[in-house]
Amino acid sequence: MIFNVFKSKLEKGNLTKDEIISLLNTNQNDIIDLMAIANSKRENNNITYSKNIFIPLTEICRNYCGYCTFRKDPNDNNAIILKDKTEIISQLKNAEKYGCKEALFTFGEQADQEKVVKIALKEKGFENMNEYIYDICESTLKNTKLLPHTNAGVLSYEEMKSLKEVNVSMGMMLENSSDRLRTIEAHINSPGKDPKVRIDTIAEAGRLKIPYTTGILIGIGETKEEIADSLLTIKNLNDKYGHIQEIIIQNFRSKKGIPMEKNPEPSLLDMIRTVSVAKLLFSDVSIQVPPNLNYETNQVFLLCGADDWGGISPITKDYVNPDSPWPEIDHMRNLTKDAGLNLKERLPIYNKYINETYLNDELLHRTLELKKSLN
């Protein structure tokens, strides 16, 4: 089917929604053909990763996603309400000793809507989370050589404009562009998962020339049609602004205690088809599949054109997926080499964005200096 019907369109990556849906439903030998064409889009034989430290600044969040174990209630004695800056700087300095280049900061969306966070912010002299994260990123730049990358969920234009001054890149998962998911278990209690708001945030990042990471989440109740729409939504944003440096294809994993604990996980073939289609649509954008969520099947996605393992930390866990530890970097190097490819460390900002269009003078200078240490 693939070769006989629209091989030329596959090779150009110029696919309609109906054609994407057809590819997402391929089976038997057509899947092998799809993987081969997607893999042929690989720019080179390098598989990249970013050595980072993952620091959650608060686990308070306005969203109650059906698949999440990150957020905690304000009255949870184990919840991180607001991390202390002295502790953060100490962790960052330790990360430097391990060769980390990226300081990944993440926190629950619009956490300052909660009284307990407002009080903690006020005690530290801040009016809101944006002032606080700006200060943390600025202190990172003053006290270490690490480059900040912030994942903060939905932000306004002005908030992102401010954070652009102290971040080399930012990110937020689109997850899915379908409003229907707000009526089911995944997002019914998550106001921040309104796809229109998230699409606007990604677009605002494009207007501000912020190198951006986004992606989709597979297995949260979406249809193949909704996957196709989501990929095309991201493609349209990138065609317009050119700021998306990386697309994550993330698979839902069941975890004990979440509302969606008994929901089925996406099949390996569903992931293969989706990763392959993403590579066809985005031949000039890196495609990442989280390695800690696919420990036994990572190499398969390399054969679908995936070319990035994302952030891997030698010292901190994945707080969003705490049951899935990061693989050792040497382990990933061996897996990559076994597939005939090369593991290569990168910075949190991709090379084509390391210029004055995307970075201010200070960030550009620091990034270029740190880039030398990779060579």
Side-chain angles (χ1 to χ4, degrees):
M1 180 273 296
I2 293 175
F3 284 101
N4 294 334
V5 179
F6 50 92
K7 179 182 176 184
S8 63
K9 296 197 70 176
L10 278 173
E11 292 176 341
K12 293 177 182 177
N14 184 22
L15 302 170
T16 66
K17 177 181 175 180
D18 286 343
E19 288 165 344
I20 292 171
I21 293 170
S22 177
L23 293 174
L24 293 173
N25 284 295
T26 52
N27 52 41
Q28 297 192 42
N29 290 337
D30 283 335
I31 296 177
I32 305 300
D33 294 341
L34 176 61
M35 292 172 65
I37 296 174
N39 194 42
S40 72
K41 299 300 179 184
R42 188 183 302 286
E43 185 178 346
N44 52 49
N45 285 333
N46 294 328
I47 307 299
T48 54
Y49 78 100
S50 176
K51 189 182 291 187
N52 71 13
I53 176 172
F54 187 153
I55 298 182
L57 299 178
T58 179
E59 293 172 313
I60 308 304
C61 183
R62 68 168 174 167
N63 298 319
Y64 291 79
C65 298
Y67 45 79
C68 181
T69 58
F70 176 80
R71 81 166 306 280
K72 289 185 173 65
D73 290 324
N75 58 0
D76 188 332
N77 292 330
N78 295 316
I80 298 173
I81 303 301
L82 204 63
K83 216 166 181 67
D84 182 72
K85 184 165 72 173
T86 302
E87 180 186 354
I88 292 171
I89 297 302
S90 176
Q91 287 182 286
L92 294 173
K93 287 183 176 296
N94 184 51
E96 284 189 291
K97 298 176 184 177
Y98 286 83
C100 297
K101 315 288 190 305
E102 174 185 357
L104 170 60
F105 297 116
T106 189
F107 50 94
E109 187 173 279
Q110 297 190 15
D112 49 12
Q113 290 184 3
E114 288 287 349
K115 184 178 179 181
V116 65
V117 177
K118 288 181 181 178
I119 292 172
L121 285 167
K122 195 158 189 176
E123 289 175 349
K124 296 180 184 297
F126 303 108
E127 290 295 320
N128 53 55
M129 280 298 295
N130 212 67
E131 287 184 6
Y132 165 75
I133 182 58
Y134 184 98
D135 181 68
I136 294 297
C137 292
E138 186 177 48
S139 296
T140 300
L141 294 169
K142 285 181 178 179
N143 293 283
T144 77
K145 293 181 180 179
L146 277 71
L147 300 175
H149 171 101
T150 296
N151 290 340
V154 170
L155 294 171
S156 69
Y157 179 90
E158 291 301 323
E159 287 172 330
M160 283 191 289
K161 183 179 179 181
S162 168
L163 292 179
K164 175 181 167 66
E165 298 175 11
V166 290
N167 280 269
V168 295
S169 56
M170 296 177 66
M172 179 193 69
M173 293 287 283
L174 172 60
E175 297 191 7
N176 199 281
S177 62
S178 172
D179 200 52
R180 184 188 65 83
L181 269 64
R182 298 176 68 200
T183 67
I184 64 175
E185 203 166 24
H187 291 157
I188 194 169
N189 295 310
S190 302
K193 297 304 170 75
D194 181 341
K196 297 181 183 65
V197 176
R198 297 179 84 78
I199 291 166
D200 285 346
T201 296
I202 300 170
E204 298 286 26
R207 296 184 188 101
L208 286 164
K209 298 296 183 183
I210 296 173
Y212 210 75
T213 295
T214 189
I216 61 174
L217 186 53
I218 304 298
I220 57 173
E222 77 289 340
T223 64
K224 295 291 197 303
E225 290 79 3
E226 288 165 337
I227 292 175
D229 280 332
S230 300
L231 290 172
L232 287 172
T233 295
I234 295 173
K235 181 171 171 46
N236 290 338
L237 287 165
N238 194 52
D239 287 346
K240 185 172 183 178
Y241 299 109
H243 67 306
I244 295 176
Q245 61 175 8
E246 181 179 50
I247 294 170
I248 302 171
I249 307 299
Q250 182 172 334
N251 48 313
F252 162 74
R253 295 301 300 269
S254 177
K255 307 175 188 73
K256 188 174 181 179
I258 61 173
M260 293 173 61
E261 179 179 350
K262 296 183 179 179
N263 286 46
E265 297 179 351
S267 71
L268 174 58
L269 291 184
D270 272 337
M271 284 293 291
I272 286 172
R273 287 181 283 237
T274 307
V275 172
S276 298
V277 169
K279 189 60 181 179
L280 292 174
L281 286 172
F282 301 96
S283 59
D284 59 344
V285 178
S286 278
I287 303 297
Q288 180 207 135
V289 180
N292 58 320
L293 301 184
N294 300 277
Y295 203 89
E296 302 296 331
T297 55
N298 278 316
Q299 287 176 306
V300 175
F301 302 118
L302 297 180
L303 306 181
C304 305
D307 56 4
D308 185 73
W309 296 127
I312 300 178
S313 179
I315 55 175
T316 52
K317 66 181 180 181
D318 180 355
Y319 288 89
V320 176
N321 298 285
D323 296 332
S324 302
W326 299 117
E328 295 288 340
I329 292 172
D330 284 345
H331 174 72
M332 298 310 299
R333 182 175 287 107
N334 291 335
L335 288 184
T336 305
K337 184 178 179 181
D338 186 48
L341 301 163
N342 308 309
L343 188 67
K344 186 176 179 63
E345 186 182 355
R346 62 166 174 83
L347 300 178
I349 177 173
Y350 279 69
N351 286 340
K352 70 178 179 179
Y353 299 99
I354 304 177
N355 56 60
E356 61 278 0
T357 300
Y358 288 91
L359 298 175
N360 60 38
D361 289 343
E362 179 185 355
L363 287 176
L364 179 57
H365 173 73
R366 291 175 62 98
T367 303
L368 289 171
E369 285 298 308
L370 198 57
K371 184 182 174 185
K372 293 177 184 176
S373 67
L374 298 179
N375 299 328

